C-alpha cells in the first residue's frame, strides 16, 4: 500500500481548508428589486381631517413571499431565478400605497400598521394576483386587490371595491418586467386614492345624502 500519496493528498486538503478554499462554487446572491416610485403624484382635490392606517394586505401562497412570479399557463406558477423582491409582496404593496397616499395629501396623516399612532380610518385589503402573464411572448403585469375602508371606532365598513390592473411590459427581460410592475403599482395607487377620497367619510356625511332642491 502506498502511504505517501495519501499523506500528500491529506496535506493538500488541509492547506486548502485552512486557507478558506472550497471545491464548491459560492452562489451569487439574488438581485433585490423594488417597485419604482412615481416621479409625481397628483394632489387630492381636498384634504380630509381623518388619519388613515394602511394594513398589510392579506395574501395566501404563492403571493405571500419574496418571489417574483410568472404564470406561463393558467394552472402553473414559476418564479424568476436569481432575483427577488426586497420584502414579501404584501409588504411591498403596503409600502407603495402608504407612500403614494402620503404624497397625495388626501388625509391628515397616513401611517402603516407598524406605527403605534392611532388613526380614525383603516384601509384593509386582500391581494389575489401579483404576477406576470405570458412571460415569454407578450408579458403583462396583473395585480388584483380587494379593498375596504373601515371606521375604527364603529368598525363599520364605509366602502369597498375590487381593483384589477393589467399593465403590458415592454419586453421579457427582468428589468422590463420590474419597470412594468412599477407602472402597474402607480396605476393601482391612483385608483385607490380616487376611490378612498370618494368614499362617504364620517367628516363628510352629507356626501352620502341626496341634495336638497
Amino acid at each position: 500500500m502506498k502511504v505517501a500519496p495519501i499523506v500528500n493528498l491529506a496535506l493538500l486538503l488541509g492547506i486548502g481548508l485552512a486557507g478558506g478554499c472550497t471545491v464548491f462554487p459560492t452562489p451569487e446572491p439574488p438581485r433585490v428589486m423594488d417597485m419604482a416610485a412615481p416621479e409625481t403624484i397628483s394632489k387630492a382635490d381636498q384634504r380630509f381631517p381623518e388619519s388613515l392606517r394602511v394594513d398589510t394586505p392579506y395574501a395566501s401562497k404563492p403571493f405571500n413571499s419574496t418571489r417574483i412570479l410568472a404564470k406561463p399557463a393558467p394552472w402553473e406558477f414559476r418564479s424568476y431565478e436569481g432575483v427577488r423582491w426586497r420584502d414579501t409582496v404584501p409588504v411591498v404593496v403596503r409600502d407603495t400605497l402608504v407612500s403614494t397616499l402620503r404624497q397625495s395629501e388626501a388625509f391628515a396623516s397616513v401611517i402603516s400598521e407598524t406605527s403605534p399612532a392611532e388613526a380614525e380610518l383603516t384601509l384593509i385589503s386582500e391581494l389575489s394576483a401579483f404576477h406576470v402573464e405570458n412571460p415569454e411572448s407578450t408579458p403583462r403585469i396583473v395585480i388584483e386587490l380587494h379593498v375596504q375602508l373601515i371606521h375604527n371606532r364603529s368598525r363599520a365598513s364605509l366602502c369597498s371595491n375590487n381593483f384589477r390592473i393589467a399593465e403590458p411590459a415592454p419586453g421579457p427581460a427582468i428589468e422590463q418586467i420590474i419597470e412594468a410592475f412599477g407602472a402597474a403599482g402607480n396605476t393601482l395607487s391612483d385608483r385607490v386614492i380616487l376611490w378612498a377620497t370618494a368614499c362617504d367619510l364620517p367628516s363628510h356625511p352629507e356626501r352620502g345624502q341626496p341634495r336638497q332642491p
Side-chain angles (χ1 to χ4, degrees):
M1 179 178 179
K2 297 181 179 181
V3 179
I6 298 177
V7 172
N8 292 337
L9 179 60
L11 288 173
L12 289 173
L13 287 175
I15 292 171
L17 292 173
C21 299
T22 176
V23 296
F24 301 105
T26 302
E28 290 290 334
R31 298 172 65 187
V32 180
M33 299 296 187
D34 195 7
M35 298 259 282
E39 295 182 359
T40 58
I41 293 290
S42 299
K43 303 298 182 183
D45 294 335
Q46 55 182 322
R47 184 179 175 89
F48 298 95
E50 293 91 355
S51 55
L52 174 67
R53 184 178 71 225
V54 180
D55 283 359
T56 302
Y58 168 79
S60 58
K61 294 182 179 179
F63 302 112
N64 190 18
S65 73
T66 62
R67 291 177 293 177
I68 301 177
L69 296 171
K71 197 173 186 181
W75 56 84
E76 180 183 13
F77 281 104
R78 295 180 184 177
S79 57
Y80 286 88
E81 295 183 0
V83 64
R84 66 173 179 85
W85 293 114
R86 63 170 177 80
D87 208 318
T88 63
V89 168
V91 171
V92 171
V93 172
R94 180 202 68 193
D95 292 349
T96 298
L97 291 174
V98 168
S99 176
T100 51
L101 281 163
R102 284 174 178 169
Q103 293 179 64
S104 73
E105 299 180 356
F107 296 90
S109 65
V110 179
I111 60 175
S112 72
E113 63 186 18
T114 60
S115 172
E118 295 185 355
E120 286 82 22
L121 306 171
T122 297
L123 178 67
I124 63 174
S125 57
E126 181 177 349
L127 188 69
S128 56
F130 197 89
H131 61 271
V132 185
E133 291 185 349
N134 305 320
E136 297 178 356
S137 55
T138 55
R140 65 173 182 171
I141 308 303
V142 175
I143 302 177
E144 293 181 359
L145 189 71
H146 174 74
V147 294
Q148 277 187 290
L149 199 60
I150 303 297
H151 185 241
N152 291 336
R153 180 172 297 178
S154 66
R155 303 308 300 170
S157 176
L158 302 177
C159 50
S160 62
N161 204 350
N162 294 301
F163 295 101
R164 187 180 192 274
I165 310 298
E167 178 73 28
I174 188 61
E175 292 81 6
Q176 296 170 311
I177 295 298
I178 298 302
E179 178 185 348
F181 264 113
N186 295 340
T187 301
L188 174 66
S189 296
D190 289 341
R191 294 186 183 179
V192 169
I193 291 170
L194 288 174
W195 161 78
T197 54
C199 186
D200 295 328
L201 302 180
S203 57
H204 292 76
E206 70 279 358
R207 296 175 64 179
Q209 301 296 329
R211 294 183 177 180
Q212 295 295 329

